[in-house]
């Protein structure tokens, strides 16, 4: 079985992979936040060269806590029992910090979402991670496509 990007990075730095279950939910959320940000930035940049300010605005709309909370809301029915357990651990973790423009409920759901993505990343399950992000964006109508009748066009 071919190893994913996490194993590649760890190998280059001479670090042995750890059992993902040993990580706290906030550590999973920490890495999940970075991975989700990278996925969204890659998607936005891949759609075309434009001013950095515009790239930042588009990215911010998708990575803020409210958007992540909305995304996990549309994805919950798609999660396996294992994924739901990871999400709940992240959602229920008590963090000392809080997002400045988010409700407590949105922040906690977003933390659960990030923990799930961090878990999938560390388990080298990027296909599943991408499947969930794409499905979430589609269901939220934020996948970059504008729907007009049966024709689908790009918004950006």
């Amino acid at each position: 079985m071919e190893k994913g990007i996490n194993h590649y990075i760890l190998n280059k730095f001479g670090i042995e992979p750890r059992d993902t279950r040993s990580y706290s939910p906030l550590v999973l959320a920490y890495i999940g936040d970075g991975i989700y940000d990278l996925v969204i930035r890659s998607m936005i940049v891949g759609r075309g060269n434009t001013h950095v300010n515009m790239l930042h605005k588009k990215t911010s709309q998708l990575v803020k806590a409210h958007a992540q909370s909305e995304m996990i809301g549309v994805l919950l029915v798609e999660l396996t029992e294992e994924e739901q357990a990871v999400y709940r651990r992240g959602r229920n973790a008590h963090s000392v910090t809080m997002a400045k423009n988010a409700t407590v409920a949105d922040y906690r759901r977003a933390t659960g979402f990030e923990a799930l993505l961090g878990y999938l990343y560390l388990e080298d399950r990027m296909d599943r991670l991408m499947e969930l992000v794409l499905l979430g964006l589609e269901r939220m109508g934020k996948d970059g496509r504008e729907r007009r009748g049966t024709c689908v066009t790009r918004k950006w």
Side-chain angles (χ1 to χ4, degrees):
M1 179 174 128
E2 189 172 319
K3 298 294 183 180
I5 189 170
N6 181 51
H7 278 86
Y8 174 79
I9 292 168
L10 294 179
N11 185 47
K12 288 297 178 183
F13 286 96
I15 301 169
E16 287 293 318
R18 295 180 182 220
D19 182 357
T20 307
R21 294 169 297 184
S22 70
Y23 289 107
S24 80
L26 294 178
V27 169
L28 295 176
Y30 174 77
I31 193 73
D33 175 57
I35 291 302
Y36 182 64
D37 191 65
L38 179 62
V39 167
I40 296 301
R41 284 178 185 231
S42 297
M43 177 189 73
I44 298 295
V45 167
R47 293 204 169 129
N49 192 17
T50 188
H51 297 283
V52 174
N53 187 40
M54 183 60 72
L55 296 172
H56 176 72
K57 285 180 182 178
K58 289 177 181 178
T59 301
S60 295
Q61 290 303 306
L62 295 173
V63 299
K64 64 185 179 180
H66 178 73
Q68 291 180 4
S69 175
E70 185 182 348
M71 184 174 290
I72 194 64
V74 300
L75 290 174
L76 277 174
V77 296
E78 302 297 329
L79 301 183
T80 65
E81 286 183 31
E82 173 191 17
E83 292 167 347
Q84 287 178 15
V86 172
Y87 163 72
R88 282 192 304 272
R89 280 184 61 219
R91 182 197 63 202
N92 295 334
H94 294 286
S95 174
V96 240
T97 60
M98 209 2 227
K100 60 182 176 181
N101 294 315
T103 66
V104 172
D106 276 349
Y107 184 73
R108 292 184 72 175
R109 284 190 297 265
T111 302
F113 174 69
E114 291 172 344
L116 172 60
L117 297 186
Y119 174 78
L120 293 172
Y121 168 74
L122 291 173
E123 286 288 312
D124 282 325
R125 295 180 55 202
M126 286 300 291
D127 285 344
R128 178 63 174 161
L129 187 152
M130 291 304 302
E131 176 185 347
L132 290 173
V133 171
L134 286 167
L135 182 60
L137 290 171
E138 286 172 9
R139 289 188 177 171
M140 292 168 50
K142 297 183 179 182
D143 59 349
R145 294 184 288 184
E146 190 173 308
R147 285 148 184 88
R148 293 188 186 133
T150 56
C151 179
V152 176
T153 58
R154 293 276 175 210
K155 284 183 185 175
W156 57 69

